[in-house]
Structures are given as structure tokens and as C-alpha cells.
PDB file of all heavy atoms in Angstrom:
ATOM      1  N   ALA A   1    -141.302-145.784 -92.466  1.00  0.00           N
ATOM      2  CA  ALA A   1    -141.671-146.779 -93.476  1.00  0.00           C
ATOM      3  C   ALA A   1    -141.121-148.138 -93.040  1.00  0.00           C
ATOM      4  O   ALA A   1    -139.925-148.276 -92.777  1.00  0.00           O
ATOM      5  CB  ALA A   1    -141.093-146.390 -94.827  1.00  0.00           C
ATOM      6  N   VAL A   2    -142.000-149.116 -92.946  1.00  0.00           N
ATOM      7  CA  VAL A   2    -141.611-150.464 -92.510  1.00  0.00           C
ATOM      8  C   VAL A   2    -140.610-151.059 -93.508  1.00  0.00           C
ATOM      9  O   VAL A   2    -140.821-150.992 -94.723  1.00  0.00           O
ATOM     10  CB  VAL A   2    -142.846-151.385 -92.394  1.00  0.00           C
ATOM     11  CG1 VAL A   2    -142.433-152.792 -91.975  1.00  0.00           C
ATOM     12  CG2 VAL A   2    -143.847-150.815 -91.406  1.00  0.00           C
ATOM     13  N   GLY A   3    -139.533-151.618 -92.985  1.00  0.00           N
ATOM     14  CA  GLY A   3    -138.555-152.287 -93.833  1.00  0.00           C
ATOM     15  C   GLY A   3    -137.637-151.334 -94.579  1.00  0.00           C
ATOM     16  O   GLY A   3    -136.859-151.754 -95.425  1.00  0.00           O
ATOM     17  N   GLY A   4    -137.714-150.041 -94.252  1.00  0.00           N
ATOM     18  CA  GLY A   4    -136.918-149.050 -94.975  1.00  0.00           C
ATOM     19  C   GLY A   4    -135.536-148.801 -94.408  1.00  0.00           C
ATOM     20  O   GLY A   4    -134.792-147.978 -94.912  1.00  0.00           O
ATOM     21  N   GLY A   5    -135.189-149.494 -93.320  1.00  0.00           N
ATOM     22  CA  GLY A   5    -133.863-149.321 -92.733  1.00  0.00           C
ATOM     23  C   GLY A   5    -133.693-148.021 -91.970  1.00  0.00           C
ATOM     24  O   GLY A   5    -132.581-147.635 -91.635  1.00  0.00           O
ATOM     25  N   ARG A   6    -134.807-147.339 -91.665  1.00  0.00           N
ATOM     26  CA  ARG A   6    -134.734-146.068 -90.928  1.00  0.00           C
ATOM     27  C   ARG A   6    -134.717-146.292 -89.416  1.00  0.00           C
ATOM     28  O   ARG A   6    -134.459-145.384 -88.650  1.00  0.00           O
ATOM     29  CB  ARG A   6    -135.962-145.195 -91.255  1.00  0.00           C
ATOM     30  CG  ARG A   6    -135.967-144.650 -92.644  1.00  0.00           C
ATOM     31  CD  ARG A   6    -134.813-143.683 -92.799  1.00  0.00           C
ATOM     32  NE  ARG A   6    -134.686-143.197 -94.155  1.00  0.00           N
ATOM     33  CZ  ARG A   6    -134.751-141.918 -94.473  1.00  0.00           C
ATOM     34  NH1 ARG A   6    -134.972-141.016 -93.561  1.00  0.00           N
ATOM     35  NH2 ARG A   6    -134.581-141.551 -95.719  1.00  0.00           N
ATOM     36  N   VAL A   7    -135.076-147.493 -89.026  1.00  0.00           N
ATOM     37  CA  VAL A   7    -135.163-147.825 -87.605  1.00  0.00           C
ATOM     38  C   VAL A   7    -134.295-149.057 -87.375  1.00  0.00           C
ATOM     39  O   VAL A   7    -133.792-149.665 -88.327  1.00  0.00           O
ATOM     40  CB  VAL A   7    -136.626-148.109 -87.184  1.00  0.00           C
ATOM     41  CG1 VAL A   7    -137.454-146.835 -87.253  1.00  0.00           C
ATOM     42  CG2 VAL A   7    -137.254-149.196 -88.042  1.00  0.00           C
ATOM     43  N   ILE A   8    -134.132-149.446 -86.119  1.00  0.00           N
ATOM     44  CA  ILE A   8    -133.350-150.655 -85.837  1.00  0.00           C
ATOM     45  C   ILE A   8    -134.009-151.873 -86.494  1.00  0.00           C
ATOM     46  O   ILE A   8    -135.224-151.903 -86.688  1.00  0.00           O
ATOM     47  CB  ILE A   8    -133.182-150.870 -84.308  1.00  0.00           C
ATOM     48  CG1 ILE A   8    -134.535-150.950 -83.594  1.00  0.00           C
ATOM     49  CG2 ILE A   8    -132.308-149.778 -83.705  1.00  0.00           C
ATOM     50  CD1 ILE A   8    -134.444-151.323 -82.131  1.00  0.00           C
ATOM     51  N   LYS A   9    -133.178-152.847 -86.841  1.00  0.00           N
ATOM     52  CA  LYS A   9    -133.674-154.047 -87.544  1.00  0.00           C
ATOM     53  C   LYS A   9    -134.786-154.745 -86.780  1.00  0.00           C
ATOM     54  O   LYS A   9    -135.723-155.279 -87.365  1.00  0.00           O
ATOM     55  CB  LYS A   9    -132.534-155.039 -87.771  1.00  0.00           C
ATOM     56  CG  LYS A   9    -131.559-154.613 -88.842  1.00  0.00           C
ATOM     57  CD  LYS A   9    -130.650-155.807 -89.210  1.00  0.00           C
ATOM     58  CE  LYS A   9    -129.705-155.444 -90.327  1.00  0.00           C
ATOM     59  NZ  LYS A   9    -128.615-154.570 -89.845  1.00  0.00           N
ATOM     60  N   GLY A  10    -134.678-154.746 -85.462  1.00  0.00           N
ATOM     61  CA  GLY A  10    -135.695-155.403 -84.647  1.00  0.00           C
ATOM     62  C   GLY A  10    -137.071-154.793 -84.832  1.00  0.00           C
ATOM     63  O   GLY A  10    -138.083-155.477 -84.706  1.00  0.00           O
ATOM     64  N   TRP A  11    -137.098-153.497 -85.166  1.00  0.00           N
ATOM     65  CA  TRP A  11    -138.381-152.832 -85.431  1.00  0.00           C
ATOM     66  C   TRP A  11    -138.878-153.166 -86.827  1.00  0.00           C
ATOM     67  O   TRP A  11    -140.038-153.469 -87.005  1.00  0.00           O
ATOM     68  CB  TRP A  11    -138.211-151.324 -85.290  1.00  0.00           C
ATOM     69  CG  TRP A  11    -138.565-150.835 -83.941  1.00  0.00           C
ATOM     70  CD1 TRP A  11    -138.180-151.380 -82.745  1.00  0.00           C
ATOM     71  CD2 TRP A  11    -139.367-149.703 -83.633  1.00  0.00           C
ATOM     72  NE1 TRP A  11    -138.689-150.643 -81.720  1.00  0.00           N
ATOM     73  CE2 TRP A  11    -139.419-149.603 -82.228  1.00  0.00           C
ATOM     74  CE3 TRP A  11    -140.024-148.762 -84.415  1.00  0.00           C
ATOM     75  CZ2 TRP A  11    -140.126-148.601 -81.588  1.00  0.00           C
ATOM     76  CZ3 TRP A  11    -140.727-147.759 -83.765  1.00  0.00           C
ATOM     77  CH2 TRP A  11    -140.773-147.679 -82.371  1.00  0.00           C
ATOM     78  N   ASP A  12    -137.970-153.046 -87.825  1.00  0.00           N
ATOM     79  CA  ASP A  12    -138.381-153.344 -89.199  1.00  0.00           C
ATOM     80  C   ASP A  12    -139.000-154.740 -89.272  1.00  0.00           C
ATOM     81  O   ASP A  12    -139.981-154.953 -89.963  1.00  0.00           O
ATOM     82  CB  ASP A  12    -137.184-153.238 -90.147  1.00  0.00           C
ATOM     83  CG  ASP A  12    -137.053-151.841 -90.764  1.00  0.00           C
ATOM     84  OD1 ASP A  12    -138.047-151.089 -90.738  1.00  0.00           O
ATOM     85  OD2 ASP A  12    -135.974-151.519 -91.277  1.00  0.00           O
ATOM     86  N   ARG A  13    -138.410-155.690 -88.538  1.00  0.00           N
ATOM     87  CA  ARG A  13    -138.946-157.059 -88.558  1.00  0.00           C
ATOM     88  C   ARG A  13    -140.093-157.250 -87.589  1.00  0.00           C
ATOM     89  O   ARG A  13    -141.037-157.984 -87.875  1.00  0.00           O
ATOM     90  CB  ARG A  13    -137.837-158.046 -88.177  1.00  0.00           C
ATOM     91  CG  ARG A  13    -136.728-158.082 -89.209  1.00  0.00           C
ATOM     92  CD  ARG A  13    -135.734-159.148 -88.831  1.00  0.00           C
ATOM     93  NE  ARG A  13    -134.509-158.966 -89.571  1.00  0.00           N
ATOM     94  CZ  ARG A  13    -133.429-159.703 -89.373  1.00  0.00           C
ATOM     95  NH1 ARG A  13    -133.410-160.634 -88.447  1.00  0.00           N
ATOM     96  NH2 ARG A  13    -132.355-159.493 -90.084  1.00  0.00           N
ATOM     97  N   GLY A  14    -139.976-156.604 -86.424  1.00  0.00           N
ATOM     98  CA  GLY A  14    -140.926-156.881 -85.342  1.00  0.00           C
ATOM     99  C   GLY A  14    -142.305-156.290 -85.536  1.00  0.00           C
ATOM    100  O   GLY A  14    -143.287-156.797 -85.002  1.00  0.00           O
ATOM    101  N   ILE A  15    -142.381-155.208 -86.324  1.00  0.00           N
ATOM    102  CA  ILE A  15    -143.673-154.533 -86.505  1.00  0.00           C
ATOM    103  C   ILE A  15    -144.422-155.110 -87.698  1.00  0.00           C
ATOM    104  O   ILE A  15    -145.641-155.033 -87.779  1.00  0.00           O
ATOM    105  CB  ILE A  15    -143.442-153.011 -86.618  1.00  0.00           C
ATOM    106  CG1 ILE A  15    -143.077-152.489 -85.228  1.00  0.00           C
ATOM    107  CG2 ILE A  15    -144.655-152.290 -87.174  1.00  0.00           C
ATOM    108  CD1 ILE A  15    -142.650-151.068 -85.153  1.00  0.00           C
ATOM    109  N   ARG A  16    -143.655-155.741 -88.597  1.00  0.00           N
ATOM    110  CA  ARG A  16    -144.269-156.376 -89.770  1.00  0.00           C
ATOM    111  C   ARG A  16    -145.392-157.320 -89.353  1.00  0.00           C
ATOM    112  O   ARG A  16    -145.224-158.089 -88.394  1.00  0.00           O
ATOM    113  CB  ARG A  16    -143.183-157.223 -90.451  1.00  0.00           C
ATOM    114  CG  ARG A  16    -143.184-157.086 -91.935  1.00  0.00           C
ATOM    115  CD  ARG A  16    -142.160-157.977 -92.531  1.00  0.00           C
ATOM    116  NE  ARG A  16    -140.802-157.460 -92.370  1.00  0.00           N
ATOM    117  CZ  ARG A  16    -139.702-158.152 -92.697  1.00  0.00           C
ATOM    118  NH1 ARG A  16    -139.802-159.378 -93.132  1.00  0.00           N
ATOM    119  NH2 ARG A  16    -138.533-157.618 -92.559  1.00  0.00           N
ATOM    120  N   GLY A  17    -146.512-157.247 -90.058  1.00  0.00           N
ATOM    121  CA  GLY A  17    -147.609-158.180 -89.744  1.00  0.00           C
ATOM    122  C   GLY A  17    -148.558-157.689 -88.677  1.00  0.00           C
ATOM    123  O   GLY A  17    -149.618-158.265 -88.476  1.00  0.00           O
ATOM    124  N   MET A  18    -148.186-156.622 -87.962  1.00  0.00           N
ATOM    125  CA  MET A  18    -149.116-156.048 -86.989  1.00  0.00           C
ATOM    126  C   MET A  18    -150.277-155.423 -87.733  1.00  0.00           C
ATOM    127  O   MET A  18    -150.125-154.991 -88.876  1.00  0.00           O
ATOM    128  CB  MET A  18    -148.447-154.928 -86.181  1.00  0.00           C
ATOM    129  CG  MET A  18    -147.727-155.358 -84.957  1.00  0.00           C
ATOM    130  SD  MET A  18    -147.129-153.883 -84.033  1.00  0.00           S
ATOM    131  CE  MET A  18    -148.548-153.537 -82.961  1.00  0.00           C
ATOM    132  N   LYS A  19    -151.422-155.341 -87.068  1.00  0.00           N
ATOM    133  CA  LYS A  19    -152.571-154.656 -87.668  1.00  0.00           C
ATOM    134  C   LYS A  19    -152.937-153.458 -86.799  1.00  0.00           C
ATOM    135  O   LYS A  19    -152.705-153.470 -85.586  1.00  0.00           O
ATOM    136  CB  LYS A  19    -153.752-155.618 -87.769  1.00  0.00           C
ATOM    137  CG  LYS A  19    -153.451-156.715 -88.794  1.00  0.00           C
ATOM    138  CD  LYS A  19    -154.682-157.482 -89.165  1.00  0.00           C
ATOM    139  CE  LYS A  19    -154.382-158.339 -90.388  1.00  0.00           C
ATOM    140  NZ  LYS A  19    -154.840-159.694 -90.225  1.00  0.00           N
ATOM    141  N   VAL A  20    -153.503-152.442 -87.456  1.00  0.00           N
ATOM    142  CA  VAL A  20    -153.877-151.216 -86.747  1.00  0.00           C
ATOM    143  C   VAL A  20    -154.801-151.565 -85.579  1.00  0.00           C
ATOM    144  O   VAL A  20    -155.709-152.386 -85.719  1.00  0.00           O
ATOM    145  CB  VAL A  20    -154.561-150.212 -87.708  1.00  0.00           C
ATOM    146  CG1 VAL A  20    -155.179-149.045 -86.947  1.00  0.00           C
ATOM    147  CG2 VAL A  20    -153.548-149.701 -88.723  1.00  0.00           C
ATOM    148  N   GLY A  21    -154.526-150.921 -84.445  1.00  0.00           N
ATOM    149  CA  GLY A  21    -155.284-151.221 -83.226  1.00  0.00           C
ATOM    150  C   GLY A  21    -154.553-152.223 -82.362  1.00  0.00           C
ATOM    151  O   GLY A  21    -154.915-152.450 -81.221  1.00  0.00           O
ATOM    152  N   GLY A  22    -153.488-152.808 -82.916  1.00  0.00           N
ATOM    153  CA  GLY A  22    -152.727-153.809 -82.170  1.00  0.00           C
ATOM    154  C   GLY A  22    -151.690-153.199 -81.248  1.00  0.00           C
ATOM    155  O   GLY A  22    -151.227-152.072 -81.463  1.00  0.00           O
ATOM    156  N   ARG A  23    -151.350-153.968 -80.233  1.00  0.00           N
ATOM    157  CA  ARG A  23    -150.276-153.608 -79.296  1.00  0.00           C
ATOM    158  C   ARG A  23    -149.389-154.829 -79.201  1.00  0.00           C
ATOM    159  O   ARG A  23    -149.871-155.934 -78.940  1.00  0.00           O
ATOM    160  CB  ARG A  23    -150.852-153.253 -77.938  1.00  0.00           C
ATOM    161  CG  ARG A  23    -149.800-153.102 -76.851  1.00  0.00           C
ATOM    162  CD  ARG A  23    -150.382-152.559 -75.552  1.00  0.00           C
ATOM    163  NE  ARG A  23    -150.598-151.115 -75.663  1.00  0.00           N
ATOM    164  CZ  ARG A  23    -151.053-150.369 -74.659  1.00  0.00           C
ATOM    165  NH1 ARG A  23    -151.382-150.905 -73.504  1.00  0.00           N
ATOM    166  NH2 ARG A  23    -151.214-149.066 -74.827  1.00  0.00           N
ATOM    167  N   ARG A  24    -148.098-154.651 -79.426  1.00  0.00           N
ATOM    168  CA  ARG A  24    -147.180-155.788 -79.477  1.00  0.00           C
ATOM    169  C   ARG A  24    -145.941-155.519 -78.627  1.00  0.00           C
ATOM    170  O   ARG A  24    -145.415-154.417 -78.636  1.00  0.00           O
ATOM    171  CB  ARG A  24    -146.779-156.011 -80.944  1.00  0.00           C
ATOM    172  CG  ARG A  24    -145.827-157.164 -81.161  1.00  0.00           C
ATOM    173  CD  ARG A  24    -145.556-157.374 -82.641  1.00  0.00           C
ATOM    174  NE  ARG A  24    -146.645-158.102 -83.287  1.00  0.00           N
ATOM    175  CZ  ARG A  24    -146.614-158.476 -84.565  1.00  0.00           C
ATOM    176  NH1 ARG A  24    -145.595-158.183 -85.330  1.00  0.00           N
ATOM    177  NH2 ARG A  24    -147.625-159.155 -85.067  1.00  0.00           N
ATOM    178  N   GLU A  25    -145.536-156.556 -77.927  1.00  0.00           N
ATOM    179  CA  GLU A  25    -144.264-156.516 -77.205  1.00  0.00           C
ATOM    180  C   GLU A  25    -143.192-157.079 -78.126  1.00  0.00           C
ATOM    181  O   GLU A  25    -143.377-158.152 -78.701  1.00  0.00           O
ATOM    182  CB  GLU A  25    -144.369-157.380 -75.949  1.00  0.00           C
ATOM    183  CG  GLU A  25    -143.072-157.478 -75.175  1.00  0.00           C
ATOM    184  CD  GLU A  25    -143.156-158.604 -74.158  1.00  0.00           C
ATOM    185  OE1 GLU A  25    -142.905-159.770 -74.520  1.00  0.00           O
ATOM    186  OE2 GLU A  25    -143.480-158.312 -72.990  1.00  0.00           O
ATOM    187  N   ILE A  26    -142.120-156.321 -78.296  1.00  0.00           N
ATOM    188  CA  ILE A  26    -141.016-156.744 -79.171  1.00  0.00           C
ATOM    189  C   ILE A  26    -139.737-156.741 -78.339  1.00  0.00           C
ATOM    190  O   ILE A  26    -139.364-155.696 -77.783  1.00  0.00           O
ATOM    191  CB  ILE A  26    -140.871-155.781 -80.374  1.00  0.00           C
ATOM    192  CG1 ILE A  26    -142.206-155.673 -81.135  1.00  0.00           C
ATOM    193  CG2 ILE A  26    -139.750-156.232 -81.297  1.00  0.00           C
ATOM    194  CD1 ILE A  26    -142.211-154.621 -82.234  1.00  0.00           C
ATOM    195  N   VAL A  27    -139.115-157.904 -78.228  1.00  0.00           N
ATOM    196  CA  VAL A  27    -137.852-158.007 -77.489  1.00  0.00           C
ATOM    197  C   VAL A  27    -136.740-158.131 -78.527  1.00  0.00           C
ATOM    198  O   VAL A  27    -136.733-159.054 -79.336  1.00  0.00           O
ATOM    199  CB  VAL A  27    -137.851-159.208 -76.515  1.00  0.00           C
ATOM    200  CG1 VAL A  27    -136.549-159.228 -75.713  1.00  0.00           C
ATOM    201  CG2 VAL A  27    -139.056-159.136 -75.576  1.00  0.00           C
ATOM    202  N   VAL A  28    -135.826-157.147 -78.497  1.00  0.00           N
ATOM    203  CA  VAL A  28    -134.819-156.993 -79.539  1.00  0.00           C
ATOM    204  C   VAL A  28    -133.424-157.283 -78.983  1.00  0.00           C
ATOM    205  O   VAL A  28    -132.942-156.547 -78.121  1.00  0.00           O
ATOM    206  CB  VAL A  28    -134.859-155.551 -80.094  1.00  0.00           C
ATOM    207  CG1 VAL A  28    -133.834-155.364 -81.206  1.00  0.00           C
ATOM    208  CG2 VAL A  28    -136.270-155.198 -80.592  1.00  0.00           C
ATOM    209  N   PRO A  29    -132.779-158.357 -79.488  1.00  0.00           N
ATOM    210  CA  PRO A  29    -131.402-158.617 -79.046  1.00  0.00           C
ATOM    211  C   PRO A  29    -130.456-157.536 -79.591  1.00  0.00           C
ATOM    212  O   PRO A  29    -130.793-156.876 -80.590  1.00  0.00           O
ATOM    213  CB  PRO A  29    -131.084-159.988 -79.650  1.00  0.00           C
ATOM    214  CG  PRO A  29    -131.994-160.127 -80.816  1.00  0.00           C
ATOM    215  CD  PRO A  29    -133.228-159.316 -80.510  1.00  0.00           C
ATOM    216  N   PRO A  30    -129.290-157.357 -78.960  1.00  0.00           N
ATOM    217  CA  PRO A  30    -128.399-156.259 -79.353  1.00  0.00           C
ATOM    218  C   PRO A  30    -128.059-156.225 -80.840  1.00  0.00           C
ATOM    219  O   PRO A  30    -127.998-155.152 -81.430  1.00  0.00           O
ATOM    220  CB  PRO A  30    -127.126-156.491 -78.525  1.00  0.00           C
ATOM    221  CG  PRO A  30    -127.459-157.514 -77.506  1.00  0.00           C
ATOM    222  CD  PRO A  30    -128.771-158.129 -77.833  1.00  0.00           C
ATOM    223  N   ARG A  31    -127.899-157.387 -81.478  1.00  0.00           N
ATOM    224  CA  ARG A  31    -127.489-157.353 -82.897  1.00  0.00           C
ATOM    225  C   ARG A  31    -128.589-156.811 -83.799  1.00  0.00           C
ATOM    226  O   ARG A  31    -128.322-156.382 -84.918  1.00  0.00           O
ATOM    227  CB  ARG A  31    -127.002-158.729 -83.378  1.00  0.00           C
ATOM    228  CG  ARG A  31    -128.032-159.784 -83.405  1.00  0.00           C
ATOM    229  CD  ARG A  31    -127.482-161.189 -83.673  1.00  0.00           C
ATOM    230  NE  ARG A  31    -128.533-162.146 -83.420  1.00  0.00           N
ATOM    231  CZ  ARG A  31    -129.536-162.390 -84.252  1.00  0.00           C
ATOM    232  NH1 ARG A  31    -129.596-161.781 -85.417  1.00  0.00           N
ATOM    233  NH2 ARG A  31    -130.464-163.250 -83.942  1.00  0.00           N
ATOM    234  N   LEU A  32    -129.835-156.818 -83.326  1.00  0.00           N
ATOM    235  CA  LEU A  32    -130.936-156.236 -84.107  1.00  0.00           C
ATOM    236  C   LEU A  32    -131.360-154.896 -83.516  1.00  0.00           C
ATOM    237  O   LEU A  32    -132.317-154.288 -83.965  1.00  0.00           O
ATOM    238  CB  LEU A  32    -132.129-157.195 -84.151  1.00  0.00           C
ATOM    239  CG  LEU A  32    -131.863-158.542 -84.823  1.00  0.00           C
ATOM    240  CD1 LEU A  32    -133.071-159.445 -84.702  1.00  0.00           C
ATOM    241  CD2 LEU A  32    -131.494-158.359 -86.286  1.00  0.00           C
ATOM    242  N   GLY A  33    -130.634-154.472 -82.475  1.00  0.00           N
ATOM    243  CA  GLY A  33    -130.905-153.180 -81.837  1.00  0.00           C
ATOM    244  C   GLY A  33    -129.744-152.248 -82.104  1.00  0.00           C
ATOM    245  O   GLY A  33    -129.384-152.012 -83.251  1.00  0.00           O
ATOM    246  N   TYR A  34    -129.121-151.759 -81.038  1.00  0.00           N
ATOM    247  CA  TYR A  34    -128.024-150.808 -81.203  1.00  0.00           C
ATOM    248  C   TYR A  34    -126.655-151.445 -81.035  1.00  0.00           C
ATOM    249  O   TYR A  34    -125.640-150.779 -81.186  1.00  0.00           O
ATOM    250  CB  TYR A  34    -128.183-149.651 -80.204  1.00  0.00           C
ATOM    251  CG  TYR A  34    -129.409-148.831 -80.466  1.00  0.00           C
ATOM    252  CD1 TYR A  34    -130.494-148.861 -79.592  1.00  0.00           C
ATOM    253  CD2 TYR A  34    -129.506-148.028 -81.601  1.00  0.00           C
ATOM    254  CE1 TYR A  34    -131.631-148.108 -79.848  1.00  0.00           C
ATOM    255  CE2 TYR A  34    -130.637-147.276 -81.860  1.00  0.00           C
ATOM    256  CZ  TYR A  34    -131.702-147.315 -80.974  1.00  0.00           C
ATOM    257  OH  TYR A  34    -132.812-146.577 -81.235  1.00  0.00           O
ATOM    258  N   GLY A  35    -126.615-152.746 -80.699  1.00  0.00           N
ATOM    259  CA  GLY A  35    -125.320-153.398 -80.516  1.00  0.00           C
ATOM    260  C   GLY A  35    -124.492-152.637 -79.497  1.00  0.00           C
ATOM    261  O   GLY A  35    -124.985-152.283 -78.434  1.00  0.00           O
ATOM    262  N   ASN A  36    -123.248-152.343 -79.861  1.00  0.00           N
ATOM    263  CA  ASN A  36    -122.386-151.577 -78.955  1.00  0.00           C
ATOM    264  C   ASN A  36    -122.381-150.088 -79.283  1.00  0.00           C
ATOM    265  O   ASN A  36    -121.714-149.317 -78.634  1.00  0.00           O
ATOM    266  CB  ASN A  36    -120.970-152.144 -78.978  1.00  0.00           C
ATOM    267  CG  ASN A  36    -120.957-153.527 -78.338  1.00  0.00           C
ATOM    268  OD1 ASN A  36    -121.641-153.760 -77.347  1.00  0.00           O
ATOM    269  ND2 ASN A  36    -120.204-154.451 -78.911  1.00  0.00           N
ATOM    270  N   GLN A  37    -123.141-149.706 -80.328  1.00  0.00           N
ATOM    271  CA  GLN A  37    -123.202-148.298 -80.743  1.00  0.00           C
ATOM    272  C   GLN A  37    -124.430-147.628 -80.155  1.00  0.00           C
ATOM    273  O   GLN A  37    -125.339-147.254 -80.884  1.00  0.00           O
ATOM    274  CB  GLN A  37    -123.275-148.209 -82.281  1.00  0.00           C
ATOM    275  CG  GLN A  37    -122.197-148.961 -83.008  1.00  0.00           C
ATOM    276  CD  GLN A  37    -120.826-148.381 -82.709  1.00  0.00           C
ATOM    277  OE1 GLN A  37    -120.641-147.177 -82.774  1.00  0.00           O
ATOM    278  NE2 GLN A  37    -119.880-149.226 -82.358  1.00  0.00           N
ATOM    279  N   SER A  38    -124.463-147.499 -78.863  1.00  0.00           N
ATOM    280  CA  SER A  38    -125.654-146.947 -78.239  1.00  0.00           C
ATOM    281  C   SER A  38    -125.803-145.454 -78.525  1.00  0.00           C
ATOM    282  O   SER A  38    -124.831-144.721 -78.436  1.00  0.00           O
ATOM    283  CB  SER A  38    -125.597-147.169 -76.743  1.00  0.00           C
ATOM    284  OG  SER A  38    -126.626-146.436 -76.134  1.00  0.00           O
ATOM    285  N   PRO A  39    -127.030-145.010 -78.854  1.00  0.00           N
ATOM    286  CA  PRO A  39    -127.251-143.588 -79.140  1.00  0.00           C
ATOM    287  C   PRO A  39    -127.384-142.753 -77.872  1.00  0.00           C
ATOM    288  O   PRO A  39    -127.418-141.533 -77.928  1.00  0.00           O
ATOM    289  CB  PRO A  39    -128.574-143.592 -79.897  1.00  0.00           C
ATOM    290  CG  PRO A  39    -129.303-144.779 -79.352  1.00  0.00           C
ATOM    291  CD  PRO A  39    -128.249-145.808 -79.028  1.00  0.00           C
ATOM    292  N   THR A  40    -127.484-143.390 -76.733  1.00  0.00           N
ATOM    293  CA  THR A  40    -127.763-142.648 -75.486  1.00  0.00           C
ATOM    294  C   THR A  40    -127.185-143.390 -74.294  1.00  0.00           C
ATOM    295  O   THR A  40    -127.173-144.628 -74.276  1.00  0.00           O
ATOM    296  CB  THR A  40    -129.293-142.484 -75.305  1.00  0.00           C
ATOM    297  OG1 THR A  40    -129.562-142.280 -73.895  1.00  0.00           O
ATOM    298  CG2 THR A  40    -130.071-143.715 -75.715  1.00  0.00           C
ATOM    299  N   PRO A  41    -126.718-142.652 -73.286  1.00  0.00           N
ATOM    300  CA  PRO A  41    -126.201-143.293 -72.067  1.00  0.00           C
ATOM    301  C   PRO A  41    -127.250-144.149 -71.350  1.00  0.00           C
ATOM    302  O   PRO A  41    -126.909-145.016 -70.557  1.00  0.00           O
ATOM    303  CB  PRO A  41    -125.777-142.130 -71.172  1.00  0.00           C
ATOM    304  CG  PRO A  41    -125.849-140.904 -72.002  1.00  0.00           C
ATOM    305  CD  PRO A  41    -126.653-141.193 -73.233  1.00  0.00           C
TER     306      PRO A  41
END
């Protein structure tokens, strides 16, 4: 769900406004991504 806080902030904001059939490049700085709490090596 968009804006539901289930994904990184960069996604909640970055996907907003897209329309079906669209392809978008989203560049997410660390503070809107995982910061220093990386989920994976």
C-alpha cells in the first residue's frame, strides 16, 4: 500500500504519482532507504 510505511520512505514517495504501465527510475539517498541499518550484506 503506497504511503503505508511498509516499504522504505524513498519508495512510498517515489512511486506516488506513477501510472500503470509506467517504468520509473528512483534514486534513494540513505536517509530515505536503509541508512546504516542494512537488511543484507
Side-chain angles (χ1 to χ4, degrees):
V2 179
R6 290 295 175 121
V7 292
I8 57 173
K9 287 193 177 74
W11 266 46
D12 267 342
R13 295 185 196 175
I15 287 173
R16 223 183 284 173
M18 272 185 89
K19 292 193 168 133
V20 170
R23 170 172 283 182
R24 180 176 280 184
E25 176 194 84
I26 305 173
V27 183
V28 181
R31 65 189 169 78
L32 298 175
Y34 295 110
N36 292 321
Q37 307 296 312
S38 170
T40 157

